[in-house]
Each structure stands twice: as structure tokens, then as C-alpha cells.
Amino acid sequence: MNDAENTPDSASQPLEERVNNRSQRPSSEAFKAFMASNWAPSPQVTPARDAVADHAARRRRAISEQFKGERLVVPAGPLKVRSNDCDYRFRPHSGFAHLTGLGLDHEPDAVLIFEPVEEGTGDDGGNHRATLYFRPLAGRDTEQFYADSRSGEFWIGARPTLAEFEARLGLPTSHIDELEMAITKNVGAPEIGGISIRLVRKVDENIDALVDTARYNTAKDPDNLDLGVLDGLDEKLSEALSELRLIKDEWEVEQMRIAVAATAEGFTEVVKALPRALTHFRGERVVEGAFFARAREEGNELGYDTIAASGNNATVLHWTRNTGKINAGELLLLDAGVEADSLYTADITRTLPANGTFSEVQRRVYEAVLDAADAGFAAAQIGTKFRDIHTAATTVLAERLAEWGLLPVPVAEAVSEEGQQHRRWMPHGTSHHLGLDVHDCAQAKRELYLDGVLAEGMVFTIEPGLYFKNEDLAIPEEYRGIGVRIEDDILMTADGPVNLSAALPRTADDVEAWMAGIYEELGRS
Ligand code: GLY
Ligand code: MN
Ligand code: MN
């Protein structure tokens, strides 16, 4: 029997309640009292302050400087439904993670609020006091404890208390029940003593609605509220949060090293799994699974869906379906990154000969891509423009394509703005910033990103490739079905670029030797 059968007229039961029809939920007072009793107390330990806390405080201080007198609202985002009553694993918005220092699955529905105070009297002499609002662990005397499958301790384990996060983050915390008031109180035009809000939009639609309503209710002329102007205010906050992440602090660089090291281990696991992958009808999934195991064992997750692309699939830039067979003699393009517990991710690509040895034409293409990557690396110097990396790498590719007789125009014409014919075989950018998001700092202004100047502390990829499709009639047959990308994660230092992912072999000879060494080792064990 279930709840539906208990209902005299189940057809009138609201749809949203029917999700509970598959189980009985006792609701007698006797049951509630029994559930609330006889639990050993939870250990009362005050955790140590997280190493990231001081860095996060500095980041908040920098944002406070830019938005004096305004309330800033930075949501973590809600749980997202994957199917029916099953959610995706929670992952907070990167701007929220950066400003709080929180990683892992912390914390659905949380919101960080910067409350404006008199200039210079806020946190660390800034202009705001920040508070983290979230749903803390409920007591065992509450129904949430055993009856709430999304946040109850009985269902998902103990979650943080207010005191725990406060101690770990060095940040005042408040119950989520106080959030609505904290966002909406005294909202209004500054000229009449109100506080204006800036919100990181499109992270939590409940918070968007709350802010919109507060703005509407307090506007002088609500019917003529200029939503474009308000969106512009909000976008400036997102832009500032993105730009704040262009330069990584030392803690972030350490997280990048952790993510890269775990990713390198994942690539080794893939090489070990390749012999089995070659026998499987969906060998690409064997590769994907081998890497994923490492991502979950060593880190939080994948930073992005793994591209495990063999043969012609490697010419599909974002091939994440990974349903293909891997045939001996093909190249396997593996683009994968472990996201550390701190949520910083690596983004590395290696292109491996499935049977351990490059053919002559595969090697020719591979070495052109490697030369392009090296040219990009040489161009990446303090003070040069971010876009110069792309120009350096793609010029090498254009030269090689010309040498092979594939380019229909001279190199000079191809690399001019009017030409770009070489982009038929390398249509993506060569570099992007990397960090909490795989494509980090995406809301930064163009003059600080593509037209920006490389500076110490930047972390970005260099990832040229060549992609020759089976159905490309503009190239000789020997090239068709070959896709090669080599992607490394670069840290800009005062002494020049450092390749964080250099532990993974890059030259064709080193790749072959590395794979052979792994198989030799496996053979011995
Ligand atoms: N893995 C996505 C990229 O390389 O940008
Ligand atoms: Mn990338
Ligand atoms: Mn990548």
C-alpha cells in the first residue's frame, strides 16, 4: 500500500505531490517523537580556518572597492533536476566559490551578500560587510532530518552548521530564512536613502525574481522601469568577478598544480586501459570511464565532459558522445581535465597512437601541431598580448599546410585577415584562461582578455590542432580521418611561461616511449 491508495480521490492529487506516491511517509506524532529521540549528540568540534580563507577575504576586499555603497548579491545556485526527483551533483557558481573559498558540493541555495557600510569601515577596511546565507544542518528533532531527501541528514549525510562554515571561512554566516530580508531591506534609489543592488544573474532564478520584485516594488515609476539599465548594472558585477580571476593567487596556482597532477595520472590510466579499449565495441567509452574513475578518486569531478575521440571522431572538436570504436592504427585524441576538490580544473589534450606507434603521416601532422604549440609557448611572454599566442601558433600551421600543398593561397595571404584559409583545419582559438571554469574569466572585457597583456599569475591553455575530416575533398586521402590536438596548461611567471602539464610527454618519440614503458611495467606486474 502507498500514499496514493490512502487518498480517496487520487486523481485530484496535485502532480507535484505524486512524486511521493512510491513510498509511505509516516506522519503520526508518535513516529515524529520517536524519530527525534535517542540520538547521540553530534561531535562539537570547531574546524580550523581553511587555508583559502585569507585569499578569499582579499578577493572580497577587491570587489568591495569597486562597488561602494551598493548591496552585492552572489548566489551559489540551486540543485538542478536531472530527471524527475534526481538532481545533478551540485556544483556552485564559480564566482561564488572564488569569493567564499568553498569547493566540493557547497552549498545549494546559498547566497553571499555584501552589505554596504560607511566607506572604510567594512571587512578589512573595505566598504562592505559580507555574510554567507545558507541552509545549515537541521537538528535531529526536525522533520528535515529524516524526511527531506534533498537536504536531510538521513538522506545525504551531515551538512555544515553555521558555526562550522564561519570558523572555516572566517566569514559571518546566517540562516537562509534571513535571506529574503537581507536582499530586499531598504532597497530603493540612493537619492531617497535607498540601497541599490547588483546581482550575479542567471545563477538562481529564485534570487533573480526576488531582486526583480524588490526593484519593481521600490521603483519611483515601476511601470517604466528600465530593465536594460538594471541588467547593465548586474553585468558589471559579473564582469568584475570574471576579471578578478584573470590573475591567480598562490593558493589558486597550487590548486591548478593539484588538478594537473591528477589529470596526468588519469592519462596514464587511459594508456593502461587502451588494450581493452581496442577490443571493445565502444572503446571510446572505455577511455572515458578510465579517466572518470581517476577524476572521482582524486578530485571532485571532471572539469568538463571528456573528449575521447578516435580516428575521424577526433576531427569533431567537442566530440563528447564517445560512442566510437577505437581501431589499431588510429589516433586517439583525449581532451580531459580533473576538477580538484577546490573546483579548479586542468584542461589537457594528448593525441596518442592507439597501438603505440605513429604512422609516418600521423607523425607529420603531429609534429606540425607540436611546432605550433612550441611557437605559441615562445610567444607567451610578460607584456605580449594574449592574442599573439594564437597568431604565432597558427602561422606555423599555415606554413606546414603550405609545405604539404594543402593551402590554396600563399601563407602571407592565409594569415591576413582577409584570408584565414588555414582555419578550415584549425577553426578554434589557441588559448583560453583556465581556473575555476575550464573557459575561465569568460565575462572579462575584450581589452583584458584577447587584447589583454600577459601578466604574472595568469593561467591559460595553449592548444593548437589540425583536423582533417574523412569527407574533406580539399586534401589528399592520406590525411583524411586524422585529428591532432596538443593542449598544455601554462602559468605565466616573472621568468616566462611555465608548462604545468609538462609531466605528460609531448613529442611523438616521447609519447611512444611513455606508452611502451607503461605496457612494459604492466607486463612485469
Ligand atoms: N576541453 C575544452 C577546451 O579545450 O577548451
Ligand atoms: Mn582548452
Ligand atoms: Mn581541452
Side-chain angles (χ1 to χ4, degrees), residues 41 57 170 335 374 423 427 433 476:
D335 182 342
D374 288 346
R423 298 291 299 273
H433 281 269

Coordinates of all heavy atoms in Angstrom, one line a residue, residues 41 57 170 335 374 423 427 433 476:
P41 N 24.7 12.8 20.6 CA 25.0 14.2 20.1 C 26.0 14.2 19.0 O 26.9 13.4 19.0 CB 25.5 14.9 21.3 CG 25.8 13.9 22.3 CD 25.1 12.6 22.0
A57 N 39.2 36.4 1.4 CA 38.9 37.7 2.0 C 39.5 38.8 1.2 O 38.9 39.9 1.0 CB 39.5 37.8 3.4
G170 N 36.1 32.1 8.0 CA 36.3 33.4 8.6 C 35.3 34.4 8.1 O 35.6 35.6 7.8
D335 N 41.0 14.7 -24.6 CA 41.0 16.0 -24.0 C 40.2 15.9 -22.7 O 39.0 15.7 -22.7 CB 40.3 17.0 -25.0 CG 40.2 18.4 -24.5 OD1 40.4 18.7 -23.3 OD2 40.0 19.3 -25.3
D374 N 54.8 24.9 -29.6 CA 56.0 25.5 -29.2 C 56.2 27.0 -29.6 O 56.7 27.8 -28.8 CB 57.2 24.7 -29.7 CG 57.3 23.3 -29.1 OD1 56.7 23.1 -28.0 OD2 58.0 22.4 -29.6
R423 N 42.4 28.2 -41.4 CA 41.4 27.9 -40.3 C 40.4 26.8 -40.7 O 39.7 26.3 -39.8 CB 40.7 29.2 -39.9 CG 41.6 30.3 -39.4 CD 42.3 29.9 -38.0 NE 41.3 29.7 -37.0 CZ 40.8 30.7 -36.2 NH1 41.2 32.0 -36.4 NH2 39.9 30.5 -35.3
P427 N 39.8 25.5 -36.6 CA 38.9 26.6 -36.5 C 38.7 27.2 -35.1 O 37.9 28.1 -35.0 CB 37.5 25.9 -37.0 CG 37.7 24.5 -36.8 CD 39.2 24.2 -36.8
H433 N 41.8 31.3 -20.9 CA 42.1 31.3 -19.5 C 41.5 30.1 -18.8 O 40.5 29.6 -19.3 CB 41.6 32.6 -18.8 CG 42.5 33.8 -19.0 ND1 43.6 34.1 -18.2 CD2 42.5 34.7 -20.0 CE1 44.2 35.2 -18.6 NE2 43.6 35.5 -19.8
P476 N 44.5 15.5 -49.8 CA 44.8 14.1 -50.2 C 44.3 13.1 -49.2 O 44.2 13.4 -48.0 CB 46.3 14.0 -50.3 CG 46.8 15.4 -50.3 CD 45.8 16.2 -49.6

